[in-house]
Amino acid sequence: MTFAEVVPDTRSLLPHDSYTYEVPEELDEAVALGSRVEIPFGKRSIMGYVVARGDIATRDDVRAIESVIGTEPF
């Protein structure tokens, strides 16, 4: 199982903290640094940007990335 650190695009003045998300096996090759992804955030789904990948999650209740938006990372 692999994980990604994602900065949500909240379109606000809040700090842009990163959150850990599971990378589903079927998206593993598509999720790269700079990828735009759709993530669950609260009760809705929003866009975010992948800023890191790794094999360790900092929490047990990690949610999965829903999809990759576009084909080229930023």
Side-chain angles (χ1 to χ4, degrees):
M1 185 177 304
T2 62
F3 301 93
E5 289 295 314
V6 179
V7 174
D9 185 1
T10 57
R11 300 186 189 270
S12 71
L13 299 176
L14 296 174
H16 286 89
D17 293 329
S18 66
Y19 298 87
T20 304
Y21 286 87
E22 178 185 342
V23 178
E25 190 173 318
E26 65 272 12
L27 298 178
D28 191 51
E29 290 186 24
V31 175
L33 296 180
S35 293
R36 290 182 299 164
V37 293
E38 185 174 358
I39 54 170
F41 196 75
K43 294 182 180 184
R44 59 190 174 137
S45 292
I46 64 171
M47 187 175 70
Y49 300 92
V50 176
V51 295
R53 290 279 310 254
D55 296 327
I56 300 172
T58 56
R59 301 177 56 149
D60 292 332
D61 57 343
V62 176
R63 297 166 78 180
I65 292 173
E66 295 173 348
S67 65
V68 176
I69 302 167
T71 57
E72 295 294 321
F74 280 114

